[in-house]
């Protein structure tokens, strides 16, 4: 686990260096942030939500109001393709 954490830390530093080289202002904005966990979670949710753009509105509503078992559907689709 320690090796994985070290590798992840090095990858993070590489990403930060890239941001710094590309845009010093953006890097300064990153440095000013205080709640990295919350911001990272928001970004993960934003990326996942991108996939939902193709879904019809009626299905999104059913998912949003727990009128359909989204987890069951995902589990069954993963089983079909051998993923997950």
């Amino acid at each position: 686990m320690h090796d994985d954490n070290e590798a992840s830390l090095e990858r993070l530093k590489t990403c930060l260096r890239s941001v710094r080289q590309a845009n010093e202002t953006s890097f300064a904005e990153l440095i000013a942030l205080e709640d990295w966990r919350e911001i990272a979670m928001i970004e993960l949710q934003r990326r996942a939500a991108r996939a939902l753009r193709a879904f019809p509105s009626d299905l999104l509503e059913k998912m949003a109001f727990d009128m359909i078992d989204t987890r069951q559907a995902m589990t069954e689709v993963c089983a079909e393709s051998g993923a997950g």
Side-chain angles (χ1 to χ4, degrees), residues 65-78:
F65 295 105
D66 211 19
M67 297 167 61
I68 191 170
D69 191 340
T70 305
R71 177 61 57 197
Q72 177 184 348
M74 289 183 191
T75 300
E76 290 177 9
V77 169
C78 285

Side-chain angles (χ1 to χ4, degrees), residues 19-20 22-33:
V19 170
R20 186 177 195 175
N23 188 329
E24 192 71 37
T25 302
S26 291
F27 182 72
E29 291 171 356
L30 285 175
I31 296 301
L33 295 175

Side-chain angles (χ1 to χ4, degrees), residues 2-56:
H2 178 70
D3 289 340
D4 185 46
N5 285 341
E6 281 297 317
S8 293
L9 181 62
E10 288 305 314
R11 289 177 52 221
L12 175 57
K13 291 186 325 189
T14 297
C15 290
L16 290 169
R17 287 182 192 109
S18 294
V19 170
R20 186 177 195 175
Q21 288 173 350
N23 188 329
E24 192 71 37
T25 302
S26 291
F27 182 72
E29 291 171 356
L30 285 175
I31 296 301
L33 295 175
E34 293 185 21
D35 192 349
W36 288 94
R37 288 182 63 194
E38 181 180 349
I39 293 165
M41 288 298 294
I42 290 168
E43 179 61 16
L44 284 172
Q45 291 173 349
R46 185 191 67 79
R47 291 180 183 189
R50 233 182 305 174
L52 297 178
R53 289 181 183 166
F55 288 29

